[in-house]
Amino acid sequence: MVIKSDSTYFMFAEGKDDIAHMLTSTDRIEWKEQGALDIRYVNGEPLSKGPYGTPTVWLEGGVWYLFYERGDLGIWLATSTDLNVWKNIQDDPVLQPGPEVYDKFGVALNQIIKHKGKYYAYYHATEFQDWHEWTSCIAISDDLIHWKKYDKNPIMRENKSSPILVNDGERYRLYT
């Protein structure tokens, strides 16, 4: 995902071994690798070894909010004010798989949209242990920490996953 702040574009991507990293650009053509994200537990200790991918970032009030998954077993939230160190808000996921069947075996966040004071998380999920099929789902929050899953999830099935909304100037269009 790419987000612009001042005159710099920040790309957050999942790289080798499902490790989230950041790149920067001023022209959206030439990108400079900034390295793996330094994510810490609430107590300041570095995350344990293992994947931390599918990074989705939200910027508000000078605070960067990073949503990431660990093996698709939940979505965690860390914040940063300097983009150098990210600290978990809590050490438990802010969005977990289940209890419903449609997202029992995996979740990963793709995009946050703010509309009329509420945050909408567009995420992909699977009900299959072997991950052979994914769906698109939505959750809503007032504070980016506490999420309620949409009661009509999933909104798309049949491997129509990784939802992204794009505003065409008049309305949002959903791409999967």
Side-chain angles (χ1 to χ4, degrees), residues 12-13 19-22 35-39 52 55 57 66 83-84 86:
F12 296 89
I19 303 299
H21 62 114
M22 182 176 69
L37 301 183
D38 180 0
I39 305 173
Y52 55 97
V57 174
L66 168 70
L83 294 172
N84 292 315
W86 301 83

Side-chain angles (χ1 to χ4, degrees), residues 122-152:
Y122 288 80
Y123 69 99
H124 59 280
T126 186
E127 62 187 81
F128 301 102
Q129 192 167 11
D130 68 0
W131 297 354
H132 75 270
E133 185 175 304
W134 291 81
T135 61
S136 292
C137 303
I138 304 172
I140 188 170
S141 173
D142 292 321
D143 62 7
L144 296 170
I145 301 167
H146 304 93
W147 294 91
K148 181 178 189 254
K149 295 176 184 177
Y150 180 50
D151 62 2
K152 292 183 175 55

